[in-house]
Amino acid sequence: MTGVNRLDAPVGLLIDRTQQINFRFEGQDYQGFKGDSIASALCANDRWVISRSFKYHRPRGVLTMAGYDSNTLVQLDHEPNVHADKMMLSEGLNVLGQNYSGSLDQDRRSWLGHLSAFLPVGFYYKAFYKPRGAWRLWSSLIRNYAGLGKVSLATTQEYSDKSYAFCDVAVIGGGCAGLRAAIQAANQGAEVTLIDENTALGGALCYARTNSAESESKEIRQTLLAKVAEQENILVLTNAVANGIYSDNWVAVIHGRRLVKLRAKAIVVATGAMEQPAVFRNNDLPGVMMGSAAQRLIRLYGVRPGRSAVVFTSNNFGYGVALDLLECGTTVEAVVDTRENPTNSLTPLLKEYDVKLVTGANVIAGISTPKGDHVMGVEVVAQNRPLTEAFRISCDLLCVSTGFVPSSQLLSHVGANVAYDRSLATFAVSDIPSGIFAAGSVLNRHNLRTVGDDGTYAGSAAATFAGYKAAGNIQPPDPPDAAEYNHRSPIFEHPSGREFVDFDEDLEVHDLRDAVSDGYEQIELLKRYSTLGMGPSQGRHSSLPGVLIASESTGRDPSILGRTTVRPPYTGVKFGTLAGRSFEPVRLSPMHYRHLEAGAKMMPAGLWMRPAYYGSGNRDSIIREEALSVRNGVGLIDVSTLGGLEIRGPDSVEFLNRMYTFSYAKQQVGRSRYVLMTDRSGVIVDDGVACRLSDNHFYVTATTSGVQGVYQEMLWYNAQWQLSVDVTNVTAAWCGVNIAGPLSRDVIKALTNVDVSSSSFPYMAVREGFIADIPARFMRVGFVGELGFEIHVPSTYGEALWDVLMDAGKAIGITPFGVEAQRLLRLEKGHIIIGQDTDGLTHPYEADMAWAISRKKPYFVGSRSIEIQAKRSTARKLVGFVMPDADKDSVPEECQLVVRDGDISGRVTSAAFSPILEKVIGLAYVEFDQAKVENTFTIKFADGRFGIAHVTALPFFDPEGKRQEV
Amino acid sequence: MTDLDPAMHIRRSPIYRKLLEIGACFVETESGVVATRTSETATIEAEQARHLGLSDLTLCPRAGYKGWAAIDWARELGIIIGEQNNRTYSQSDSTRVVRLSDNEFLIPGELSGSSPAIDMLSSARRLEGVYSVPRADNNCRFVICGNQTPAMVAKLCGVDLRVHRFHEGNVAQTSVARLNAIIIRSDFRDVPAYELIADIASAGYMWNCLMDAMSEFGGCIVGTSALCVLKGT
């Protein structure tokens, strides 16, 4: 059984009666049909209280059945704030109400409503701020009471992604106007994407009644859907929310868990209009709903919205609602029409049902059941009569049809003007930008024929704008007719209050009046002070009455008061949807998997992954062992991540001379030379080596994280200087290893056609040749201070190179070593790492790198700044230090402070326990007068201890460089 | 099905492990070891590829040249290069040359591993203002083919790559899954195909992104034999 209120077919467009769905609400089992929303299934089961209000914890039920209001926000296991009137049922769904303590039906916090006198508008700003410190106490209490739903930290991440889409004409809204626009644009040849937030196309045609036989809207819908289906150039996206329109007709469409980034040449906004609640006492009771909500329940879900109803209306739509109710078996106790003399073709039909017609009257209050959980009647009073003459009509359903506001949010996003129009008694859109078109009820046209004509007109204009041939004989539609449908001010104050203007925030009429009295007359200030329109509904139902109340309170014309700014998004959007599938590029060396197979612990280096060290166990011990292997035998490290740049052309030397601090004019072919790059302010930004492969060809290395910046700088300067030189970034094209240690030569000499003897291939020489049939560039370098060869090969040969070397070195114990051991080894040699031992202000003199500056050449980037710095006194200096009293367990960390007389005088940049020297060594910035060798300075450890460091000449190890130059 | 171990060869694609995992069969070509099949028959794969297929062509030959004299130099050597950038130009031997800019072109070589045009240019005397670009090692090269390709690539790339907008021979230098990439429309007769050339160091990342995007459409990895079937070669 899916509920006592379930109606027989044919009503129930969206439900599949052959598929029953079981779900739980508030711990109780219910059944619905496939296609039901949570709310429709609950209503079918006569369950009307779905959630509680935010401030006063008032029971709330369906209001719009369109997902536009906060009345039906419910909690799912892994998701709060779900619109129960939009979320489709799924098997086993577990649903709870929100904003209650205890149970939804017996909320322990419902007493808050009795405190409303103490919670006036703006009470946040009036209370809690004194005495000083009081807010801290209040805030925990308020936070405990406030908030919507609960976020489950156990929620698994949903898969969301994004896609790009393109079309000539995007039509947003699949109602009568949207369908007609899409068909017309497609007829003119445009590629059309038709977007609708609902499951079924048709908009109000799916549920509204436009004639006595109820057949007109159905037939029109079927005809239009058939035409859409015939058009191959219309792509239909249903259950898709156009959540914002941005620059250049970029439409953000949320389609399931996907954010579709749609680019359209032209856009037709046919988003319709939103029916508005009337403001009267207890207008928020469950059982009080929009007329359109009742029709949605009947036609879309086959649910009877009540047993005995009153229809409160200001237009002829209300009569259609009454007829629909009658036909589904609901007794209509009365139609209360605010108009004195309504003319309506449906009136005779209602009279056939003996429906009481009360004209020229207003509903001034809903009467609640003793429990306060449902409407049980209404108070009605004739206009211009005192409230004491009000009379009651019993009912369990009150349908309100007193007017509309355009769903103009998307048009606001693109800068259209939306302001109150006195002649239409609602907001009206004007000044729509070029390339954006609108049609139908969003332009305050409600007559079905006019709406359709407007759609065709807009579709044609959009297709023409998109470059397709204009269609002839399409006439502009009739002017807006909303005045026939909108009550001029459906606000009926009651001496006992509780006339809610904003259901999200439980704002009553007097709250807005009080806010105006407090001086917040400007509509944006009124919004922020009162929180009008700041809840989940974003003013969909409160904006119009808010403006009308403010207008009446201030005496200003509502069209002058304006309207609060409407910004994207149109509806709530999940962070996961915005984030989409994360794209985080990762760069891997060709030898990456060999490192993993060898047990490497990988670490990020920019976008790259590099082996920090190999194996498990004590990290520091492993690193020291790796370093000792290099010092005493042979080690192999992957240096593929180093940047590589080919500098080619007749002006290569001149180019390098300008880009780097050294001089390269006399660098011989087959030799490498250190390169140090500074920026225009003289700050060190990168280093590496330049290998001269021919007169006009240098292969320049750069740091892993710096190469992209170096490359871009080179391109920029090359464009300025117009030298005959080409710069190519070949970082990924070449991979490399550094085979280092006294036995390194023994490993490679049998593998290569290059003579690697000391005499033929000296320190800092460069050779090209082959190693194990792999084309290679060989460099004698000394970063780790041992005999060593950097071997660079094309990347697709990288893994084979690693295999060949590891295999050849196996017999003599070749050891792979990681970045951490390399850092230790270079520290022993006193070599700096750019970015670790330098910072964003370090110039060469501070880093003791004056030796790398050529003073003979006229210019290099940063030369003028360095020249100035050289003439100034240097405030700090990078020095080497040892800590004689420290052991391997008391090594300072990077960035720990150098302290002098209680003040900071510098910081440590690198430090380690050297296994070969058996002492703690490091680099630190100290004040210039502390930098003299054998001076001491104090380092403060993280735990507050202090250690004494002695300034030491660099390098710490093998100062004569004999080991690397053998 | 594997009968040739790509790890036994000195030139290896960064994707070879992923291809081994699915049991791909490899063959040796002039330019390296490539996955020729991922299932029992190339015909079956070709049928799948008509829907959506992904293939690794990283070890197929490629060459690139740039510099102010590069285009004229190539023309003088008989290479046909038109005036429009971001276009491919077919040569008499079915090789395609991709003009990337006023000063740069790229030659994606054949599936067979041989490419006379590449060989000819690499052995020709280089003039001042002509510089080689190591495309074969700087970039990975994948091909995505089949009717679902535009929809699939739309999840990764912001360029309109639909078949009626991005025609055969069109080239886009763009971003795919946040990586710089060159996309070349290069159909296999009636089957739309898009070559993707990107950073070789990020090949694994890109492959995973493509696989992830493909899964929604039931795409599969195919070998070069299936592509030859589609090409009719």
Side-chain angles (χ1 to χ4, degrees):
Chain A
M1 183 61 188
T2 64
V4 296
N5 291 323
R6 189 68 73 178
L7 301 168
D8 293 334
V11 289
L13 177 71
L14 301 182
I15 58 169
D16 178 355
R17 294 168 198 267
T18 65
Q19 295 195 54
Q20 186 170 302
I21 304 276
N22 299 297
F23 71 106
R24 286 174 76 78
F25 181 72
E26 287 291 315
Q28 192 173 336
D29 293 327
Y30 292 95
Q31 287 78 43
F33 287 127
K34 185 180 180 190
D36 257 326
S37 67
I38 296 168
S40 68
L42 289 172
C43 293
N45 284 282
D46 224 21
R47 171 79 209 197
W48 297 99
V49 178
I50 294 178
S51 211
R52 290 266 172 177
S53 73
F54 176 65
K55 188 173 167 188
Y56 297 145
H57 289 240
R58 290 171 67 87
R60 293 278 166 81
V62 297
L63 179 67
T64 64
M65 283 304 294
Y68 293 158
D69 60 282
S70 62
N71 276 20
T72 60
L73 290 180
V74 293
Q75 173 88 41
L76 306 185
D77 285 344
H78 294 290
E79 190 175 348
N81 304 321
V82 171
H83 285 286
D85 52 355
K86 287 292 279 186
M87 172 63 93
M88 280 176 63
L89 274 190
S90 57
E91 185 64 33
L93 195 67
N94 186 32
V95 187
L96 295 169
Q98 290 189 167
N99 298 326
Y100 63 81
S101 173
S103 73
L104 178 61
D105 292 326
Q106 294 184 328
D107 181 1
R108 287 196 290 263
R109 291 179 181 167
S110 57
W111 55 268
L112 278 165
H114 300 299
L115 294 185
S116 59
F118 303 102
L119 301 170
V121 63
F123 73 95
Y124 260 59
Y125 308 109
K126 295 172 177 169
F128 312 132
Y129 67 92
K130 62 184 178 181
R132 189 179 178 84
W135 172 245
R136 195 171 296 174
L137 297 174
W138 282 109
S139 68
S140 62
L141 181 68
I142 290 169
R143 287 183 201 287
N144 186 33
Y145 274 65
L148 293 172
K150 293 184 178 69
V151 174
S152 169
L153 298 178
T155 302
T156 52
Q157 187 176 348
E158 285 183 349
Y159 182 95
S160 303
D161 68 5
K162 298 179 186 177
S163 77
Y164 298 89
F166 305 87
C167 66
D168 295 316
V169 176
V171 177
I172 303 169
C176 181
L179 290 167
R180 290 274 294 267
I183 292 164
Q184 180 59 37
N187 281 340
Q188 287 177 228
E191 284 184 338
V192 178
T193 299
L194 175 58
I195 303 151
D196 193 88
E197 63 184 347
N198 299 301
T199 307
L201 286 178
L205 295 174
C206 296
Y207 58 84
R209 186 181 195 117
T210 55
N211 70 345
S212 58
E214 184 257 315
S215 58
E216 186 185 44
S217 55
K218 197 172 179 179
E219 287 162 8
I220 291 171
R221 177 173 177 267
Q222 294 299 344
T223 304
L224 293 176
L225 293 190
K227 286 184 179 174
V228 167
E230 283 169 14
Q231 295 279 7
E232 286 186 357
N233 50 340
I234 298 179
L235 172 69
V236 177
L237 297 178
T238 52
N239 290 317
V241 179
N243 218 26
I245 303 177
Y246 303 89
S247 299
D248 302 323
N249 290 359
W250 189 102
V251 187
V253 182
I254 299 171
H255 192 213
R257 290 178 182 166
R258 175 168 293 166
L259 174 60
V260 179
K261 298 179 171 185
L262 176 67
R263 289 271 182 202
K265 291 177 186 168
I267 297 172
V268 177
V269 176
T271 42
M274 296 173 289
E275 195 160 40
Q276 295 291 292
V279 179
F280 54 83
R281 176 173 166 74
N282 288 335
N283 57 347
D284 65 329
L285 281 173
V288 179
M289 65 181 76
M290 311 291 189
S292 54
Q295 290 178 309
R296 283 182 163 106
L297 276 172
I298 296 167
R299 291 254 164 64
L300 300 183
Y301 302 105
V303 173
R304 184 181 60 185
R307 293 175 178 81
S308 63
V310 169
V311 176
F312 178 36
T313 189
S314 301
N315 53 51
N316 291 349
F317 286 143
Y319 291 73
V321 173
L323 262 179
D324 284 341
L325 291 168
L326 289 164
E327 288 177 5
C328 78
T330 300
T331 304
V332 177
E333 304 293 346
V335 172
V336 179
D337 196 325
T338 59
R339 296 172 295 181
E340 286 286 350
N341 299 300
T343 54
N344 196 320
S345 63
L346 301 181
T347 306
L349 283 170
L350 290 180
K351 287 187 174 166
E352 283 180 23
Y353 281 97
D354 286 334
V355 173
K356 184 177 177 185
L357 190 57
V358 183
T359 59
N362 302 327
V363 170
I364 55 161
I367 302 164
S368 79
T369 56
K371 280 176 67 181
D373 61 352
H374 206 85
V375 66
M376 57 176 280
V378 293
E379 284 184 25
V380 179
V381 68
Q383 286 160 8
N384 304 320
R385 302 302 304 165
L387 296 182
T388 50
E389 293 183 16
F391 57 93
R392 293 188 170 201
I393 306 173
S394 295
C395 62
D396 65 359
L397 170 66
L398 173 59
C399 297
V400 180
S401 294
T402 53
F404 301 84
V405 297
S407 293
S408 57
Q409 294 93 330
L410 294 173
L411 293 168
S412 295
H413 296 177
V414 296
N417 182 44
V418 181
Y420 186 79
D421 185 317
R422 188 176 284 278
S423 67
L424 298 171
T426 188
F427 295 121
V429 182
S430 60
D431 302 332
I432 299 172
S434 172
I436 310 283
F437 304 86
S441 302
V442 74
L443 294 184
N444 288 311
R445 292 183 173 91
H446 294 293
N447 176 282
L448 191 55
R449 181 187 57 77
T450 311
V451 165
D453 291 347
D454 201 10
T456 298
Y457 187 72
S460 175
T464 306
F465 185 88
Y468 293 88
K469 189 179 175 187
N473 65 26
I474 294 179
Q475 300 301 314
D478 293 340
D481 54 12
E484 293 176 31
Y485 301 91
N486 295 332
H487 190 287
R488 302 208 73 78
S489 182
I491 299 164
F492 310 105
E493 282 186 78
H494 195 282
S496 301
R498 290 293 188 261
E499 326 90 332
F500 289 98
V501 178
D502 189 318
F503 290 17
D504 297 3
E505 306 278 340
D506 284 343
L507 284 175
E508 302 171 45
V509 173
H510 73 82
D511 286 320
L512 297 183
R513 293 201 194 288
D514 292 346
V516 171
S517 298
D518 284 350
Y520 297 95
E521 297 180 355
Q522 205 273 336
I523 202 74
E524 291 281 5
L525 293 177
L526 177 67
K527 168 187 168 181
R528 283 157 182 79
Y529 184 67
S530 67
T531 68
L532 176 78
M534 291 174 71
S537 319
Q538 289 289 288
R540 283 181 173 84
H541 304 115
S542 59
S543 189
L544 180 61
V547 167
L548 293 174
I549 292 166
S551 164
E552 196 212 327
S553 302
T554 60
R556 291 187 194 161
D557 189 323
S559 58
I560 293 170
L561 273 174
R563 196 187 171 197
T564 54
T565 307
V566 177
R567 301 182 181 87
Y570 161 69
T571 190
V573 56
K574 297 178 188 175
F575 286 126
T577 305
L578 294 177
R581 182 199 186 284
S582 65
F583 289 114
E584 300 293 336
V586 176
R587 308 186 85 187
L588 301 180
S589 149
M591 305 151 203
H592 177 79
Y593 291 96
R594 292 295 187 241
H595 304 323
L596 297 183
E597 288 158 11
K601 296 288 176 290
M602 305 302 288
M603 58 181 276
L607 293 181
W608 293 91
M609 295 303 293
R610 298 195 70 182
Y613 58 91
Y614 294 82
S616 56
N618 183 281
R619 173 184 178 277
D620 293 338
S621 299
I622 292 171
I623 293 166
R624 287 194 284 266
E625 285 302 315
E626 288 179 6
L628 284 174
S629 297
V630 176
R631 291 276 179 248
N632 299 324
V634 57
L636 187 66
I637 183 171
D638 180 356
V639 295
S640 302
T641 64
L642 282 182
L645 301 161
E646 305 276 19
I647 312 294
R648 293 171 292 186
D651 293 332
S652 301
V653 169
E654 177 62 19
F655 184 72
L656 289 185
N657 270 344
R658 296 188 192 185
M659 291 304 306
Y660 290 105
T661 59
F662 242 161
S663 175
Y664 303 92
K666 293 181 180 174
Q667 182 178 343
Q668 294 174 355
V669 172
R671 299 290 295 180
S672 65
R673 183 167 287 186
Y674 182 72
V675 293
L676 182 71
M677 179 177 278
T678 54
D679 65 14
R680 274 165 282 195
S681 62
V683 168
I684 295 171
V685 291
D686 205 68
D687 71 350
V689 293
C691 306
R692 192 165 195 173
L693 301 178
S694 70
D695 284 344
N696 296 332
H697 183 186
F698 288 83
Y699 176 54
V700 180
T701 66
T703 60
T704 299
S705 55
V707 63
Q708 190 59 29
V710 170
Y711 177 57
Q712 285 169 359
E713 280 289 281
M714 285 183 168
L715 293 182
W716 191 86
Y717 279 111
N718 196 22
Q720 307 298 309
W721 295 332
Q722 296 285 299
L723 295 173
S724 181
V725 67
D726 177 76
V727 183
T728 304
N729 188 343
V730 293
T731 299
W734 291 87
C735 63
V737 294
N738 182 11
I739 183 166
L743 301 181
S744 57
R745 185 177 281 127
D746 297 340
V747 176
I748 67 168
K749 65 183 177 188
L751 298 171
T752 175
N753 63 344
V754 173
D755 181 353
V756 294
S757 65
S758 178
S759 55
S760 294
F761 194 178
Y763 183 59
M764 297 301 283
V766 178
R767 298 288 182 268
E768 292 182 275
F770 287 85
I771 181 164
D773 296 327
I774 301 170
R777 292 172 177 173
F778 299 81
M779 285 161 259
R780 281 285 310 273
V781 293
F783 189 53
V784 298
E786 293 293 338
L787 170 66
F789 300 84
E790 263 193 28
I791 306 171
H792 292 205
V793 301
S795 65
T796 49
Y797 296 95
E799 190 177 89
L801 174 70
W802 182 270
D803 291 347
V804 164
L805 292 172
M806 286 300 290
D807 193 45
K810 195 173 179 181
I812 54 174
I814 191 169
T815 303
F817 67 103
V819 174
E820 296 295 351
Q822 180 184 241
R823 285 180 176 171
L824 169 56
L825 291 163
R826 67 86 205 181
L827 180 59
E828 288 170 345
K829 288 296 294 177
H831 294 149
I832 67 165
I833 295 177
I834 306 298
Q836 177 170 327
D837 300 305
T838 66
D839 54 35
L841 297 171
T842 306
H843 61 72
Y845 291 103
E846 288 178 335
D848 208 11
M849 299 194 72
W851 56 270
I853 298 169
S854 169
R855 292 182 181 78
K856 293 180 180 171
K857 60 184 184 182
Y859 169 81
F860 62 88
V861 176
S863 58
R864 178 67 182 140
S865 300
I866 290 173
E867 204 176 295
I868 294 167
Q869 286 157 0
K871 291 174 183 168
R872 291 180 176 169
S873 59
T874 304
R876 61 174 185 166
K877 194 163 185 198
L878 187 69
V879 297
F881 68 84
V882 296
M883 300 185 75
D885 300 330
D887 59 23
K888 62 178 182 287
D889 296 321
S890 54
V891 179
E893 293 170 25
E894 291 153 17
C895 270
Q896 286 188 337
L897 301 177
V898 175
V899 178
R900 186 183 202 182
D901 299 331
D903 290 330
I904 298 168
S905 67
R907 64 180 174 88
V908 175
T909 63
S910 299
F913 180 82
S914 165
I916 198 85
L917 301 169
E918 295 188 328
K919 55 188 169 190
V920 172
I921 59 172
L923 297 172
Y925 282 103
V926 296
E927 289 179 350
F928 191 76
D929 65 335
Q930 292 179 295
K932 194 175 173 187
V933 171
E934 294 184 359
N935 273 359
T936 60
F937 60 87
T938 304
I939 295 170
K940 186 178 182 183
F941 288 80
D943 60 4
R945 286 183 301 118
F946 293 94
I948 302 300
H950 295 247
V951 178
T952 306
L954 294 173
F956 300 101
F957 178 69
D958 186 25
E960 293 167 350
K962 288 180 179 174
R963 295 175 68 93
Q964 66 201 34
E965 294 177 18
V966 293
Chain B
M1 193 165 44
T2 302
D3 52 9
L4 192 68
D5 184 359
M8 299 305 291
H9 292 256
I10 59 172
R11 195 157 182 256
R12 301 169 197 171
S13 163
I15 303 302
Y16 85 84
R17 280 183 173 77
K18 296 179 188 295
L19 296 167
L20 277 173
E21 280 171 12
I22 60 162
C25 181
F26 293 84
V27 294
E28 189 164 6
T29 69
E30 286 181 34
S31 59
V33 177
V34 298
T36 181
R37 281 189 288 114
T38 59
S39 60
E40 287 304 317
T41 71
T43 316
I44 294 172
E45 277 178 47
E47 279 311 303
Q48 291 172 326
R50 284 181 179 280
H51 177 67
L52 185 60
L54 170 65
S55 193
D56 174 30
L57 305 183
T58 299
L59 291 196
C60 292
R62 283 182 303 293
Y65 292 91
K66 66 171 181 169
W68 58 267
I71 302 284
D72 289 341
W73 169 75
R75 282 173 175 160
E76 282 175 19
L77 292 168
I79 300 293
I80 301 163
I81 304 180
E83 292 302 321
Q84 222 179 324
N85 295 329
N86 290 318
R87 295 283 308 172
T88 59
Y89 296 95
S90 295
Q91 311 300 303
S92 55
D93 63 353
S94 82
T95 304
R96 292 155 302 131
V97 173
V98 180
R99 179 168 175 154
L100 297 172
S101 71
D102 289 349
N103 300 320
E104 185 168 7
F105 65 93
L106 158 71
I107 307 178
E110 296 300 299
L111 300 179
S112 63
S114 65
S115 188
I118 292 176
D119 295 342
M120 184 268 288
L121 289 176
S122 68
S123 59
R125 192 174 72 85
R126 211 78 53 76
L127 302 176
E128 186 184 326
V130 181
Y131 306 99
S132 65
V133 181
R135 291 284 180 189
D137 287 283
N138 224 8
N139 302 122
C140 58
R141 178 183 172 193
F142 304 141
V143 65
I144 313 154
C145 60
N147 298 323
Q148 292 297 316
T149 308
M152 173 227 162
V153 182
K155 293 164 69 176
L156 304 171
C157 177
V159 174
D160 188 354
L161 297 172
R162 292 176 298 162
V163 288
H164 60 290
R165 298 286 183 186
F166 189 74
H167 299 285
E168 164 82 5
N170 280 177
V171 176
Q173 297 180 66
T174 179
S175 172
V176 176
R178 290 187 58 206
L179 274 186
N180 289 341
I182 301 169
I183 298 174
I184 305 162
R185 172 88 185 271
S186 181
D187 289 357
F188 301 133
R189 295 192 295 187
D190 61 334
V191 179
Y194 298 73
E195 285 200 33
L196 178 67
I197 292 174
D199 171 32
I200 197 167
S202 305
Y205 161 79
M206 178 64 86
W207 185 267
N208 290 343
C209 289
L210 294 171
M211 292 291 292
D212 177 68
M214 259 194 350
S215 60
E216 177 186 346
F217 303 98
C220 61
I221 299 168
V222 299
T224 52
S225 295
L227 305 184
C228 290
V229 170
L230 295 177
K231 285 183 77 172
T233 57

